[in-house]
């Protein structure tokens, strides 16, 4: 049985009348004999228009022309537009291209018919039904949320198949599969002519008055003329803002009746509720911070200046927006962040607003966790509508390195207070501005990083020249970031020429089939190279060493690591005397340096995966001697530390169930034994490299399952491993080869029983044979 959602009366959301609109001083409303005409009239007047109503058969076209209307609105009505709309269609034909025209229900059908479309049965008869609306966020829908309920009274509608070439669909009722259903709105591509099939004036339609307000903002007969007039009005407003400081009350957004105000109000309500929850109260967050629970951070300005591209990239994670609706709901934040980081992003911006952008603070926390341990990781920015210190502290505890402060929504006193508080937590904020007045405020504040939003938060129109116009208003040392509207490499080049230091890109990357390739094309103008880096030489570890003679034989043969078992009671366990002798032999050994030009140097201008440097951590500089490895199995940490110092171990190998966190206490690189599929293999920031082995310490001689090894490498594309278990001079090449195309991520091989003779003792000849066979692989 279907669940009937409760009806909602939205009229209380628009209780106050707006001031008169100078450009809507003589609006004509054509009445097509519909009871809703009064409601249309009421909404238009409440939004500041001066309205005169004429019934569709009570005025001629010449009389209408003589009235010199500033706008024309064609009302709903019964019947068909061809037979029952009176003067409506002739009025549309005449005034199109001269003044803005808006059609409601039958009014839209008249527009559809005038330009050659067919109005026919919609396939259903609707009377007072509310439906969720999808729209293009332009025109009358500017600044409105997706999925808002609208009320429908119609049995007719324009059809997709007869849509005139000059019209575009602006809104629709989505089908179950997400495809566009019945047309709910159309717009002329060149002329300021727009229509809606539903009834925005109904009390059951959300934000109906906002739609009429958006229409009343239109000027001129074409969209090009409207854009010019709007820019002139904006320029005039900016001059006024520079000459007179802006004032707000109750720390509310400076612009009224726009999407920023709606988001602000909703976030204020949500944050107030959150602060009442035990564990999320302000005092709880402060206690955690005082106990040093905030993760380590990196400097925003310094990292922003490091980039593999001519201009730094701030890559954004968001699943939707007020202007475009939901467009990437299926993407998870940590996977996307890892792609961004490895592709060269200097900053990863995480939207944490849940209603319009479909994000949360948990996204940021997960992003930080996946980037932990990544050398030269990007800065993490909390992109949020911040209005109090609580949100900044919450961001810091979740792992943010910086936060966004929007000048438009904060008065100067509050902006200054939040800026200073962010600095007190070690975070230089990104300060967002949109016009010259706001830029002056940001410069006065002392902002080191200023972002210029190219998108008008009232109309959602994008002007890519906004950033370049404001660039000259700031000191050269200030980092300037272009926010919004960057979609192509040409956009990036233009910003670079204008002296912009960084660009923020979100939707375009989120929609891209391959984020890494898109970033490369966007920022450098070339596609990602398919050429793979050359695998590094294979490391060879000889384990189970019990004599200095065997250690020297391995060293002379070219082994990179020599392991000795320090687990009590094992057949290969070394004595105190033998361990000290082996340590002396290894540390006193020296061979000619084999250092060659590094063909795969770690980049200094972008992040790399933690395991990318695994080989470097497990070899001496120039490979002039092997590293000494001590193997432990579930022994106390204190004992591991003691023996590490006593035997001068270069590497510690943990072969049991020791906590991963112990690696932070052990002063040398750690190799940790895992079975394929075991949790923790790919944990970054702990062990230098996982060692895959099917047996316990000492060597079982049991070969690993190649399928399991492949699966582990396929699951984690940056993972590097050392293979152990059942290896011998005769099979090591085949075992590595059987890993397949990911064999290059096998950074080393480890042998123990495979170099022993029938007497169970290490064979010096087999040691040499194994090293030779392994080194021949690569």
């Amino acid at each position: 049985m279907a669940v009937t959602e409760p009806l909602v009366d939205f009229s209380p959301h628009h209780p106050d009348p707006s001031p008169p609109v100078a450009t809507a001083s003589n609006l004509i409303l054509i009445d097509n004999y519909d009871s809703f005409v009064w409601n249309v009239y009421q909404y238009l007047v409440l939004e500041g228009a001066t309205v005169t109503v004429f019934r569709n058969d009570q005025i001629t076209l010449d009389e209408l022309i003589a009235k010199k209307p500033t706008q024309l609105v064609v009302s709903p009505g019964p019947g068909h537009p061809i037979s029952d709309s009176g003067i409506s269609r002739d009025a549309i034909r005449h005034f199109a291209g001269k003044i803005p025209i808006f059609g409601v229900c039958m009014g839209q059908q008249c527009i559809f018919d005038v330009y050659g479309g067919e109005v026919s049965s919609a396939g259903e008869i609707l009377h007072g039904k509310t439906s969720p609306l999808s729209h293009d966020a332009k025109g009358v829908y500017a600044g409105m949320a997706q999925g808002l309920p609208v009320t429908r009274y119609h049995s007719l509608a324009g059809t997709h198949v007869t849509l005139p070439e000059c019209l575009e669909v602006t809104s629709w009722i989505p089908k179950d599969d997400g495809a566009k259903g019945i047309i709910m709105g159309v717009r002329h591509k060149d002329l300021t002519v727009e229509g809606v099939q539903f009834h925005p004036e109904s009390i059951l339609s959300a934000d109906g008055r906002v739609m009429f307000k958006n229409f009343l903002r239109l000027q001129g007969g074409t969209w090009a003329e409207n854009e010019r007039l709007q820019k002139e009005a904006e320029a005039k407003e900016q001059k006024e803002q520079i000459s007179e400081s802006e004032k707000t009350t109750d720390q509310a957004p400076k612009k009224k009746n726009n999407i920023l105000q709606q988001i602000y109000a909703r976030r204020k309500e949500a944050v107030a509720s959150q602060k009442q929850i035990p564990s999320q109260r302000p005092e709880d967050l402060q206690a955690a911070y005082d106990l040093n629970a905030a993760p380590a951070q990196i400097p925003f300005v310094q990292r922003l200046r490091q980039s593999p591209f001519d201009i730094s990239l701030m890559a954004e994670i968001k699943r939707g927006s007020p202007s475009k609706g939901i467009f990437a709901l299926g993407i998870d934040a940590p996977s996307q962040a890892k792609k961004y980081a490895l592709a060269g992003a200097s900053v990863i911006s995480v939207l944490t607003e849940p209603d319009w952008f479909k994000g949360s603070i948990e996204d940021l926390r997960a992003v930080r966790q996946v980037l932990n341990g990544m050398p030269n990781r990007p800065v993490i920015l909390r992109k949020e509508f911040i209005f109090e210190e609580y949100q900044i502290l919450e961001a810091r505890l979740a792992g943010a390195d910086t936060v966004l402060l929007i000048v438009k929504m904060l008065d100067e006193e509050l902006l200054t207070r939040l800026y200073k508080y962010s600095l007190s937590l070690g975070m230089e904020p990104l300060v967002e501005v949109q016009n010259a007045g706001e830029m002056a405020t940001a410069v006065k504040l002392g902002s080191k990083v200023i972002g210029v939003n190219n998108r008008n938060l009232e109309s959602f129109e994008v002007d890519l020249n906004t950033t370049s116009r404001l660039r000259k208003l700031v000191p050269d040392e200030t980092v300037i970031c272009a926010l919004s509207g960057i979609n192509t490499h040409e956009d990036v080049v233009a910003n670079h020429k204008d002296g912009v230091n960084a660009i923020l890109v979100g939707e375009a990357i989120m929609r891209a089939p391959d984020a890494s390739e898109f970033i490369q094309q966007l920022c450098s103008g070339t596609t990602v190279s398919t050429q793979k880096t050359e695998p590094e030489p294979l490391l060879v570890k000889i384990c189970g060493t019990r004599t200095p003679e065997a250690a020297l034989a391995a060293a002379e043969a070219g082994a990179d690591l020599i392991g000795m078992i320090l687990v009590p009671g094992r057949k290969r366990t070394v004595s105190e005397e033998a361990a000290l002798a082996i340590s002396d032999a290894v540390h006193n050994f020296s061979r000619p340096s084999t250092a060659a030009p590094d063909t795969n140097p770690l980049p200094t201008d972008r992040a790399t995966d933690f395991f990318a440097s695994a080989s470097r951590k497990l070899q001496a500089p120039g490979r002039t001697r092997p590293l000494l490895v001590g193997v432990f199995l579930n022994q106390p940490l204190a004992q591991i530390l003691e023996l590490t110092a006593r035997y001068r171990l270069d590497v510690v190998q943990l072969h049991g169930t020791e906590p991963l966190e112990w690696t932070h206490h052990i002063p040398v690189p750690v190799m940790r034994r895992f079975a394929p599929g075991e949790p923790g293999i790919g944990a970054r920031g702990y062990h230098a490299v996982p060692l895959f082995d099917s047996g316990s310490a000492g060597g079982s001689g049991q070969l690993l399952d190649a399928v399991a090894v492949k699966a582990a490498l396929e699951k984690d594309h940056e993972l590097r491993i050392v293979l152990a278990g059942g290896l011998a001079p005769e099979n090591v090449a085949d075992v590595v080869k059987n890993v397949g195309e990911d064999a290059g991520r096998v950074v080393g091989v480890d042998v123990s029983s495979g170099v022993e003779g029938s007497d169970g003792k290490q064979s010096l000849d087999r040691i040499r044979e194994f090293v030779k066979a392994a080194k021949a692989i690569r």
Side-chain angles (χ1 to χ4, degrees), residues 99-408:
I99 60 174
I101 298 175
F102 187 42
V104 179
C105 200
M106 178 184 274
Q108 166 166 294
Q109 295 170 10
C110 288
I111 293 171
F112 210 88
D113 175 77
V114 163
Y115 291 106
E118 179 182 328
V119 177
S120 59
S121 173
E124 52 184 341
I125 299 176
L126 301 167
H127 192 82
K129 174 182 173 60
T130 57
S131 301
L133 186 75
S134 294
H135 57 78
D136 65 359
K138 300 176 183 178
V140 298
Y141 305 111
M144 307 192 72
Q146 297 289 337
L148 54 84
V150 295
T151 313
R152 300 162 62 190
Y153 291 82
H154 68 100
S155 60
L156 304 176
T159 62
H160 285 280
V161 293
T162 67
L163 179 71
E165 178 63 28
C166 63
L167 300 182
E168 59 185 353
V169 175
T170 60
S171 65
W172 58 93
I173 304 301
K175 297 180 180 179
D176 292 339
D177 62 358
K180 293 182 179 180
I182 296 175
I183 295 174
M184 285 291 107
V186 295
R187 181 185 304 120
H188 198 286
K189 293 178 180 178
D190 300 314
L191 312 180
T192 49
V193 176
E194 189 158 6
V196 296
Q197 181 61 67
F198 55 90
H199 287 252
E201 74 280 5
S202 167
I203 63 171
L204 298 182
S205 292
D207 292 332
R209 267 185 62 181
V210 177
M211 298 183 203
F212 284 106
K213 177 187 176 180
N214 286 337
F215 169 70
L216 294 179
R217 289 184 69 254
L218 299 180
Q219 300 179 56
T222 67
W223 295 113
E225 184 181 6
N226 173 69
E227 182 179 5
R228 177 180 60 79
L229 294 171
Q230 297 289 349
K231 287 182 178 179
E232 290 176 358
E234 182 181 352
K236 180 180 179 182
E237 180 184 7
Q238 288 180 3
K239 291 180 181 179
E240 294 173 353
Q241 289 174 338
I242 295 174
S243 61
E244 181 179 350
S245 61
E246 298 174 313
K247 297 180 181 180
T248 59
T249 59
D250 194 29
Q251 299 174 354
K254 297 177 181 179
K255 295 293 182 182
K256 296 183 65 177
N257 298 322
N258 60 30
I259 192 63
L260 182 60
Q261 184 186 38
Q262 297 176 44
I263 297 174
Y264 175 89
R266 178 71 187 98
R267 294 306 291 146
K268 193 171 184 180
E269 176 185 322
V271 170
S273 298
Q274 179 180 321
K275 290 163 64 176
Q276 304 304 313
I277 301 173
S279 79
Q280 298 186 51
R281 298 166 299 192
E283 57 267 31
D284 297 321
L285 269 58
Q286 188 61 51
Y289 183 78
D290 291 342
L291 290 169
N292 300 302
Q297 59 194 143
I298 58 177
F300 181 26
V301 178
Q302 179 181 330
R303 183 63 181 88
L304 192 55
R305 294 187 185 279
Q306 298 173 347
S307 175
F309 311 115
D310 291 335
I311 191 168
S312 296
L313 173 65
M314 308 169 75
E316 189 159 87
I317 295 173
K318 62 180 180 180
R319 301 181 180 91
S321 71
S323 61
K324 299 298 178 66
I326 298 172
F327 48 76
L329 196 60
I331 288 181
D332 70 274
S335 296
Q336 194 76 351
K338 188 173 182 179
K339 293 175 184 177
Y340 289 175
L342 297 178
S346 301
V347 176
I348 295 179
S349 169
V350 184
L351 257 299
T352 60
E353 192 283 322
D355 297 318
W356 281 267
F357 296 91
K358 306 304 178 186
S360 77
I361 193 69
E362 293 306 316
D363 282 334
L364 189 145
R365 187 172 285 111
V367 165
R368 176 54 194 268
Q369 289 170 348
V370 82
L371 298 186
N372 274 343
M374 181 176 285
N376 204 32
R377 70 167 175 84
V379 160
I380 299 174
L381 161 69
R382 183 182 190 185
K383 189 85 172 289
E384 178 59 276
F385 300 84
I386 289 176
F387 48 84
E388 63 174 80
E389 289 86 347
Y390 176 87
Q391 297 166 287
I392 300 175
L393 181 56
E394 180 188 37
R396 182 70 196 89
L397 288 169
D401 301 294
T402 183
V403 295
L404 175 72
L405 298 179
I406 304 174
V407 174
K408 188 176 292 294

Side-chain angles (χ1 to χ4, degrees), residues 527-536 599-601 713-714 717-718 720 739-745 778:
T527 57
V528 175
S529 173
T530 57
Q531 182 179 358
K532 296 184 178 180
T533 57
E534 289 295 324
E536 296 180 284
T599 56
N600 301 317
L713 292 173
E714 288 173 359
H717 296 291
E718 281 76 42
R720 272 72 165 175
V739 175
E741 61 182 15
D742 290 319
R745 290 194 280 131
R778 62 170 196 268

Side-chain angles (χ1 to χ4, degrees), residues 646-700:
R646 184 186 305 173
Y647 301 140
R648 294 181 291 166
L649 300 180
D650 299 302
V651 178
V652 164
Q653 181 174 319
L654 301 178
H655 225 77
T657 57
E658 298 86 355
L660 293 182
E661 288 86 352
W662 280 14
T663 60
H664 292 160
H665 303 286
I666 297 172
V668 296
V670 173
M671 298 171 64
R672 195 179 189 281
R673 177 261 179 193
F674 290 91
E678 188 176 340
I681 291 173
R684 267 63 172 177
Y686 298 97
H687 41 276
V689 66
L691 180 141
F692 277 20
D693 192 355
S694 58
S696 59
S700 66

